């Protein structure tokens, strides 16, 4: 069973360990040492924990991932979501994203960025109802970030 648990400063080291494992393969592939979450120092993660919401993704009570959420101008921004490699592609992230939406029932707009050259990541977000915004930012040669957005229609109207 997938559940979300709010994370605080006391979870920083656990979050960082999961983050490094979750993003290591992308780091090796793209060599994006300045932007990849696997390279983030503990001090930066602790600062982010005080600025935004973080959740540990639990699978049958075991910490297997995390999601960060910050408030944007007119949306909540997922930044980032990471899963341990052995849990990727098994529906854990999909369920975690749906659970996250339930935690913010008044929010109608979600946004995020992902790597354009990773079709699996793009399909993952598209399967959850996200659509490309058209925003593309070059991170480094051969690596671009593409913007995604999901608008939740008001069920009352």
């Amino acid at each position: 069973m997938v559940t979300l648990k709010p994370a605080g400063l006391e979870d920083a080291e656990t979050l960082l360990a999961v983050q490094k494992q979750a993003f290591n393969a992308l780091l090796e592939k793209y060599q994006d040492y300045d932007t990849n979450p696997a390279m983030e120092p503990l001090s930066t993660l602790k600062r982010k924990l005080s600025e935004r919401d973080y959740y540990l993704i639990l699978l049958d009570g075991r910490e297997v991932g995390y999601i960060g959420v910050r408030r944007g101008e007119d949306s909540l921004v997922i930044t980032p979501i990471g899963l341990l490699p052995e849990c990727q592609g098994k529906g854990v992230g999909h369920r975690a994203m749906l659970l996250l939406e339930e935690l913010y029932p008044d929010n109608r707009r979600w946004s995020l960025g992902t790597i354009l050259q990773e079709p699996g990541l793009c399909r993952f977000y598209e399967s959850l109802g996200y659509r490309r915004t058209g925003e593309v930012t070059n991170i480094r040669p051969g690596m671009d970030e593409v913007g995604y957005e999901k608008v939740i229609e008001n069920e009352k109207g």
Side-chain angles (χ1 to χ4, degrees), residues 134-155:
E135 289 179 51
V136 176
T137 305
N138 181 258
I139 305 298
R140 57 177 293 115
M143 181 186 182
D144 302 293
E145 181 180 82
V146 61
Y148 274 89
E149 182 177 79
K150 178 177 183 176
V151 177
I152 299 171
E153 298 300 325
N154 188 344
E155 290 136 17

Side-chain angles (χ1 to χ4, degrees), residues 126-141:
E126 290 165 5
S127 76
L128 287 157
Y130 284 79
R131 299 292 166 246
R132 290 186 188 188
T133 63
E135 289 179 51
V136 176
T137 305
N138 181 258
I139 305 298
R140 57 177 293 115

Side-chain angles (χ1 to χ4, degrees), residues 79-91:
T79 176
I81 176 172
L83 280 175
L84 296 178
E86 65 266 22
C87 295
Q88 295 173 9
K90 297 183 177 175

Side-chain angles (χ1 to χ4, degrees), residues 57-71:
I57 300 170
L58 307 179
L59 178 60
D60 298 325
R62 182 176 153 245
E63 296 156 341
V64 299
Y66 73 104
I67 304 176
V69 178
R70 71 173 169 78
R71 284 160 180 37

Side-chain angles (χ1 to χ4, degrees), residues 42-60:
L42 184 60
S43 59
T44 300
L45 182 58
K46 285 182 175 180
R47 177 184 50 78
K48 288 180 178 179
L49 276 162
S50 68
E51 298 171 351
R52 54 184 83 160
D53 299 337
Y54 272 86
Y55 300 90
L56 283 163
I57 300 170
L58 307 179
L59 178 60
D60 298 325

Side-chain angles (χ1 to χ4, degrees), residues 68-115:
V69 178
R70 71 173 169 78
R71 284 160 180 37
E73 286 183 32
D74 63 348
S75 68
L76 290 178
V77 182
I78 295 170
T79 176
I81 176 172
L83 280 175
L84 296 178
E86 65 266 22
C87 295
Q88 295 173 9
K90 297 183 177 175
V92 176
H94 193 273
R95 182 70 186 128
M97 292 282 284
L98 296 176
L99 289 170
L100 182 70
E101 289 177 10
E102 291 175 13
L103 292 175
Y104 298 89
D106 295 332
N107 183 56
R108 294 287 169 237
R109 185 179 304 272
W110 293 90
S111 60
L112 58 88
T114 196
I115 301 171

Side-chain angles (χ1 to χ4, degrees), residues 31-46:
Q31 311 272 309
D32 56 325
Y33 297 105
D34 294 332
T35 59
N36 189 295
M39 296 301 296
E40 189 169 77
L42 184 60
S43 59
T44 300
L45 182 58
K46 285 182 175 180

